[in-house]
Each structure stands twice: as structure tokens, then as C-alpha cells.
Amino acid sequence: MVSVFIFLYFCIVMKIFTSNQIRELDQYTIEHEPIRGIDLMERAAKTLARAISEEWTTQTPMVAFAGPGNNGGDALAVSRLLAEQGYRISVYLFNINKKLSEECATNKKRIAESKRIMQFTEVTQEFDPPKLDEDTVVIDGLFGSGLTKPLAGGFALLVKYINQSAAKVVSIDMPSGLMTEDNTYNVRANIVKADITLTLQHKKLSFLFPENQQFTGRLKVLDIRLSAEGTELIKAQYGILEENDVRQMLLPRDPYSHKGNMGSALVVAGSFGMAGAAAMAAKACYRAGAGKVTVHTPRRNNDIIQISVPEAVVNLDHEETYIGNAIATEDFDAMAIGSGLGQVETTAIAMISQIRRASCPIVVDADALNILSNHRAWLQQMPKGVIMTPHPREFDRINGAQCADSYERLSKARNMAEHLEAYILLKGHHSALCMPDGSIMFNSTGNAGMATAGSGDVLTGIITGLLARGYKHADACMLGMYLHGLAGDLAAKDKGEESLMATDIIEYMPKAFDRLKD
């Protein structure tokens, strides 16, 4: 049932294709539109040229660097089209091995015949680089999504020359040197640092990782009308949630509903001094629509919770400053555990006991994750369908080793989700939900202002509230991370990213819901 459910979602969300699937989609378009490969390249080039002309006037001098493959063919076609519009452009085609792709060779002939190109040079051996000053725009078409190994030799030197210049750089489809998925062993000094990346049809996986932002610059996705039928037929492991996708997940609220049938949530949180984490999780739980929220917390937190969240029921632990016992969960529809929990050993034992005896969906976050990293054998005791929401360092600790980069971390999280039959939500600028069947969904909302204490506690509360409300695990995670980011975006618009606090995210949850229901 899970795999069928996920497949249905991947039919409607924006897909992220691998480099092999990108080639498959291109070929499908060529065969089924039908359209010749060279004509599809021309269509893409017209879209690229239009995007470039929207950024810079014809008074801007341009230099195009084209590689021997289809990315180079794109660059040649774009240069010709821009020249026909009146741009002053010099073109360098690197044909070191004297072997061009068919489309690149055709565009080489077309550009050689063009009378509008200021200069065309085919580089086969020595290369005397042109001057690249601050007024120049470089069109980077050396290598695209088909690259499978780090750049070296003369191409690496050219990339370094471009990066050291003061010129603005626009990359076609991919910054040259950046690979579509895995850059774990790439040589980052040999990757073009673009100011703008004009990617074709779909975002690429590597664009979603924070360490690659320095290369992509401002990203624009250009529609070149690749086959919609092919896009639907090709099964993607990765996808990006967008507003229309999550809007379809929203459950209607029965006008005759009451708190008893809107879901009861349990929040196990808050050691002494960390009562705020418990309060924020509980408030967010209510804002997500839960009918009733109970907070199990140490005795000294009683007054704080009662005052800060008067709607909540407080269930006090027998310990004064930390949680030392588990409680029954038969009356609850969802449970969150971990926010501000602390890591004393008595709490650790109470935590695993609480998880073992839970009879409802569970969200595990914060200190509960840190406890698991110190008792990694307990991971095997997590119930099927458990939801874990680690940030990168928390995941690395659970995994038992620091990951080299985001791709490696994502791969390990996917493997763990499959092995445990769990939902692992890796938090970040593009939070990634790894699901039990190996599918991964990225979030498209959120901003840098949300990098603030308590933001994770709010996310935990939102997902738990949605679970209590009756959403299935995958829906609760996807809708939860989208709403969390959307509320943060709406708050940042009014308050600014610098001044954003976690409680602002809770405050703007109603507006986020209204946005989706509008």
C-alpha cells in the first residue's frame, strides 16, 4: 500500500530526474513529439537566449565557452541567436579530441556561417584566453548534465580562470564541472561558479544541496516543452513539493466536529530549563489542528506550561527536573517525543520505554534522537512508520559517522528509512523526506531566517498535530514541512529574516493554512 501511495504522489509532484533519466526524457520527446534532436536543441536555445536577453542588454559584451557535447551545442546555438539580436559575442569551441556530438557539429557549421558573430575560434590545441573584465558576461556551455567525472587538465585551468575573473557568468543547464547527483568525490576548485544557472525543464538533484549553492548562483528553471507524457511515464525517485501538491492533501474540517474527534496528541518534552521547547511543540500542535494536546513534562515545568499554553493538559512526571517515567498512550492519536528532553540516563530509559509502549504514530526529534545516537542498538526497536526529524549533525550521530556531503547523507538516510520502514525528514533549506519505499520528497518552502532555536520543535508539533488530526504518515510529513516553511516565509515577509523567531512560525500558521485553502 505504501509504494502505491507514494507512486500516486510522484505522478503529480515536480519530479527530479537523474542524468540518465534526463537523456531518456530527451529521447522520448524526440521520438514521440516527434522532433529532430537539432530542432529540440534550437527550441531550447531560443528559450535560453530569451532568458539571457532579459538579464543583459545588447551593450553587454559576451564570451561563450562551448564544450564538444550537446551542452556545447546549446552554447553555440544561443550565441548565434544572441548575435542575431545585436549582441557582441565571441565564441570559443573546445574540440581538443576532434570529436563533436552530432548536434554540436551542426551548430558549429551554423555559427561559422553566421555573419553576426564577432569572433569564432575552434580550440584544438593551444588556447589564448580572452580578457574577462567586470563588464563581460561569460556564457558557460562547457559541460552539462552528462558529466561523470571531475574536470582536469586544460578544462580545469579554464574553469579557474573564469572563476578568478570579475566577469558575470551564466551557466547553461549546469555549472560546468558540477555533476547532476553525486559530487562527493568531485574537485570543487574545478567547478564553475555561476551567477545565474539556466537549467532546462527540471531542477537537478545537486542543486538542492547547500554546499552547491556557491556554484549555481541564482537558479532559473526554463520550460523547453519536453514531453509531458514522457515526464509522467518515467518513474522518479526524487520529487519537489509545490503548493498545488500540498493543497490536494488538506482534509476538510467537518462543521459539526468537536475536540473529541479532532485528535488527541501527546507531547513528551522539556527537562528543567527547556520548558520552552515543550511549550512551542504543544502550541504548534494546536495550530496544526489537533483537538486536544497533553504535555508530559517534569514537575518544575508545570507553571510555565500552564501559563504559556493554557489550552494544554499538563501531565506531570514524578521527577522534578527531568522525565523519568513513561505513560500510557491508549487515549492518544499521535505522540511527539524529544523536544528539550535532556539526555540523562534515566530519561533515556524512560524514552525507549515510552516508544516501546506507544500505540499511536510517533514523531522522534531533538534529544530523543541524541539519546538514540548514544544507544544505537535501540534503533532496531523503533516501530514501523516512526517519523524521525534530524538536522544534519543529529543524523550523522545516529548514523555513527560524519557524512562527507549532503548526497552521502541523503543516501544513508534513504537506506535507513528503507531498513527501519521509517520516515526520516532531514531538515535543511530544502528539507528532504526519505520514505520507507526509498522515495525522497524535497520541500520548496522556508528561508534562512528559520535557522533559529526552536524551529525544529515547531516542526515536530506541526507534524504531530496533523497525525492526531487524522493525516496519514506521508501526508503529515509532507504537509507539515511545507506548512512549516510557508509560515516561516510569510513571517519573514513581515518581520524580516534577521528578526524571525520560532514563535513567529507558530503565529503565522493560520495564514499558511489560509494560503493553501484560498
Side-chain angles (χ1 to χ4, degrees), residues 117-314:
I117 294 292
M118 194 168 71
Q119 176 189 346
F120 173 63
T121 304
E122 184 174 5
V123 180
T124 56
Q125 291 182 345
E126 298 296 322
F127 171 57
D128 184 19
K131 181 181 179 183
L132 303 178
D133 57 32
E134 60 184 5
D135 297 324
T136 305
V137 169
V138 169
I139 298 174
D140 162 35
L142 293 171
F143 297 97
S145 60
L147 189 68
T148 58
K149 60 183 180 180
L151 297 185
F155 285 117
L157 291 174
L158 176 57
V159 167
K160 289 175 180 175
Y161 178 72
I162 294 170
N163 288 344
Q164 290 169 3
S165 75
K168 296 292 184 183
V169 180
V170 55
S171 287
I172 294 176
D173 202 29
M174 300 280 296
S176 292
L178 185 68
M179 285 178 263
T180 313
E181 294 102 37
D182 185 2
N183 288 274
T184 305
Y185 302 104
N186 206 343
V187 180
R188 295 186 174 272
N190 299 344
I191 302 174
V192 166
K193 292 184 177 180
D195 294 281
I196 301 176
T197 298
L198 302 175
T199 200
L200 303 178
Q201 201 66 41
H202 299 96
K203 289 181 180 179
K204 311 305 188 282
L205 181 63
S206 59
F207 293 170
L208 303 179
F209 301 141
E211 60 267 27
N212 295 332
Q213 176 59 38
Q214 61 177 311
F215 306 116
T216 58
R218 180 157 52 92
L219 180 66
K220 283 189 173 184
V221 181
L222 304 182
D223 182 6
I224 60 169
R225 306 196 310 280
L226 295 181
S227 171
E229 181 182 63
T231 300
E232 184 173 343
L233 287 174
I234 298 172
K235 294 182 180 179
Q237 183 178 29
Y238 310 100
I240 303 178
L241 276 177
E242 295 189 326
E243 190 166 307
N244 286 334
D245 308 321
V246 294
R247 183 174 285 122
Q248 298 177 51
M249 300 178 193
L250 289 174
L251 294 177
R253 198 172 184 93
D254 190 333
Y256 292 96
S257 59
H258 54 82
K259 69 177 182 182
N261 57 25
M262 294 307 292
S264 180
L266 171 64
V267 176
V268 182
S271 57
F272 182 62
M274 295 294 289
M280 285 186 287
K283 283 183 178 180
C285 209
Y286 270 121
R287 287 296 193 194
K292 182 181 176 182
V293 179
T294 298
V295 181
H296 180 65
T297 195
R299 304 188 74 82
R300 285 202 191 175
N301 288 343
N302 178 70
D303 292 354
I304 296 173
I305 302 299
Q306 294 278 19
I307 294 170
S308 59
V309 197
E311 301 90 347
V313 176
V314 180

Side-chain angles (χ1 to χ4, degrees), residues 35-46 69-74 77 101 103-104 107:
I35 185 173
R36 293 189 306 159
I38 188 64
D39 294 329
L40 180 60
M41 181 173 285
E42 188 75 3
R43 186 160 79 192
K46 289 178 179 177
N70 280 358
N71 193 250
D74 288 333
S101 72
E103 286 80 7
C104 187
N107 272 303

